[in-house]
Amino acid sequence: MVNGYQDAVPGISASITAATDAGWVPPLIAEAADSSSEDHRRNCLAWYLFRTKTRPEILAWLNKQNSRFKADMRARLNTLRGEVRQMREQVQEEG
């Protein structure tokens, strides 16, 4: 699922696997058309950051990236945040 980022970010596979097993995978990750694409790998990296890092840690990481990659990842992180918010609201409504 995470291909190229496994070595760059230790623990990413375990983090995403645990989330998947728990049923907590947002559509951006779960509905990937091509799980080996660069787009999907970036989504997985965003999911990993979202699940394992604090907001200040993410901001510090983003500030180390070039402006184009930073903007791309920020958009992905914001999309994930919205999807997770919707998932939480849905769970609260059902529970």
Side-chain angles (χ1 to χ4, degrees), residues 2-13 41 45 48:
V2 291
N3 291 334
Y5 292 114
Q6 287 175 330
D7 296 330
V9 185
I12 191 169
S13 295
R41 284 183 255 174
L45 176 58
Y48 168 78

Side-chain angles (χ1 to χ4, degrees), residues 5 38-39 42-43 46 62 66-79:
Y5 292 114
E38 178 65 19
D39 188 54
R42 288 186 183 199
N43 289 341
L62 283 170
N66 69 50
S67 60
R68 194 166 159 204
F69 187 70
K70 178 180 177 178
D72 179 62
M73 291 305 294
R74 181 169 285 183
R76 292 171 196 277
L77 286 160
N78 286 334
T79 299

Side-chain angles (χ1 to χ4, degrees), residues 1 14-31 47 51 83-84 86-88 90-91 94:
M1 176 186 275
S15 174
I16 293 173
T17 300
T20 304
D21 291 346
W24 276 86
V25 180
L28 187 67
I29 303 298
E31 297 172 1
W47 180 233
R51 299 260 312 152
E83 289 181 354
V84 168
Q86 287 179 327
M87 291 167 65
R88 287 179 178 155
Q90 184 178 5
V91 167
E94 293 173 0

Side-chain angles (χ1 to χ4, degrees), residues 49 53-64 74:
L49 292 168
K53 305 294 181 194
T54 64
R55 189 174 196 289
E57 289 172 328
I58 292 171
L59 292 174
W61 180 84
L62 283 170
N63 286 330
K64 294 177 185 176
R74 181 169 285 183

